[in-house]
Amino acid sequence: MFDQPLTSPPAGAHRRTFRTVGELAGVRSFAESEARAAGLSDQGVARVVLAVNEVATNAFEHTAAGCTVTIWAPAGTLVCQIDDDGHFADPWAGRVRPDTSAERGHGLLLVNELTDLVRRHSHTGGTTTRLHFDRS
């Protein structure tokens, strides 16, 4: 019941597709540029870059086709959407703290701590992860 479809990004949203892990620097550069253009503070920009990088890294690690990053700035917020062709088996991923001895599973928790809201929707084509950041 919580995994509901998300509305489409607005027509003016900026979108880039990244195919390989070697393009992570491009993902970070795109996120930084869009966050700065939206007027976020240096700290806000760093939060956006780190969160988008983490979700994109997961896309490269767990899917075959890379990801598409779409960013737009409605009033008072910045929204970063990452689409990939993977699926989450655990709906609580990133919402429940992994065991402290676990070597993996901390990245999505960090994403939830860096953002003001994370929405994820799995669908037949993959997964959409939407990160919301308050610009105020």
Side-chain angles (χ1 to χ4, degrees):
M1 109 175 129
F2 296 110
D3 187 10
Q4 298 298 312
L6 301 170
T7 59
S8 296
H14 298 144
R15 176 175 293 140
R16 291 213 24 218
T17 298
F18 301 92
R19 301 276 181 221
T20 69
V21 70
E23 295 178 280
L24 272 172
V27 170
R28 291 188 297 271
S29 177
F30 177 57
E32 178 180 6
S33 174
E34 293 296 318
R36 287 200 186 288
L40 271 72
S41 67
D42 287 344
Q43 182 180 12
V45 170
R47 289 174 47 225
V48 169
V49 170
L50 185 55
V52 170
N53 181 75
E54 181 59 38
V55 176
T57 298
N58 285 345
F60 291 129
E61 186 173 337
H62 299 290
T63 70
C67 65
T68 298
V69 180
T70 308
I71 302 176
W72 66 99
T77 63
L78 180 74
V79 181
C80 303
Q81 178 172 303
I82 301 92
D83 291 287
D84 62 54
D85 67 356
H87 291 91
F88 275 86
D90 180 4
W92 294 105
R95 303 201 189 301
V96 175
R97 190 172 302 280
D99 185 89
T100 56
S101 65
E103 292 183 18
R104 303 187 54 82
H106 300 276
L108 291 177
L109 184 66
L110 175 64
V111 169
N112 275 280
E113 291 177 8
L114 290 169
T115 62
D116 294 297
L117 173 67
V118 176
R119 294 190 63 201
R120 185 180 308 121
H121 174 60
S122 293
H123 45 83
T124 56
T127 297
T128 298
T129 303
R130 194 171 280 182
L131 313 175
H132 296 257
F133 300 88
D134 185 5
R135 292 192 295 161
S136 58

